[in-house]
Amino acid sequence: MALCRAVWAPGAPGGHVKERGEYDTLEEAERAARVVLALLGAHLVGDVRAQLAARLPEAFALILLNPLQSAEPLPSERFVRATAAWIEGATEQTAAWDVSAVLSTVADAAGEELLGQILLQLPVGYDLLFGRPQPT
């Protein structure tokens, strides 16, 4: 699907995953987005997941709605480690970069109200992964 609408093409809500992640190719940006959204989808339920999916390009929405399975919500550090495990050649440091590029774009697409609902479904610490530190 045209590399998932050019991985949130410039001008799309939230900007561009490729630019935020400073990826060399759209394929790298799409790979990161697919993995991060599949893991995120396992942590979100109900209307929140459906509302977020409605704000994403169709191919990414389908990934979010058909996520990888998770027995329990992963703390933010384990989410990054899981991302590293799913991306060939990734380290925890590069996975943290991938997660940040994708989730900050997701946060922009979601808007503040929906992002607040998303964060309520996630363990403490995800606000930083989304690039939106919350007051403690």
Side-chain angles (χ1 to χ4, degrees):
M1 175 170 272
L3 280 178
C4 293
R5 295 224 205 295
V7 194
W8 282 289
H16 198 288
V17 172
K18 182 179 181 292
E19 291 173 2
R20 288 186 182 185
E22 298 180 10
Y23 298 105
D24 292 330
T25 66
L26 284 173
E27 290 83 3
E28 289 176 295
E30 182 175 356
R31 179 197 64 210
R34 287 178 176 279
V35 169
V36 171
L37 290 172
L39 288 168
L40 178 64
H43 290 73
L44 301 178
V45 296
D47 288 343
V48 171
R49 184 166 60 191
Q51 287 177 42
L52 179 57
R55 297 177 190 203
L56 301 176
E58 183 180 1
F60 288 136
L62 292 173
I63 292 166
L64 187 76
L65 293 171
N66 297 289
L68 298 170
Q69 296 303 308
S70 179
E72 61 183 338
L74 297 175
S76 58
E77 303 83 24
R78 287 189 55 209
F79 186 92
V80 171
R81 284 195 295 267
T83 300
W86 280 95
I87 297 176
E88 185 177 335
T91 64
E92 284 187 38
Q93 185 176 12
T94 62
W97 188 266
D98 294 331
V99 168
S100 175
V102 175
L103 292 185
S104 66
T105 303
V106 166
D108 288 347
E112 292 303 315
E113 184 177 329
L114 180 56
L115 180 60
Q117 294 173 35
I118 290 167
L119 291 173
L120 287 174
Q121 291 191 7
L122 298 170
V124 173
Y126 276 78
D127 56 332
L128 299 175
L129 297 181
F130 281 92
R132 303 294 198 283
Q134 302 295 305
T136 54

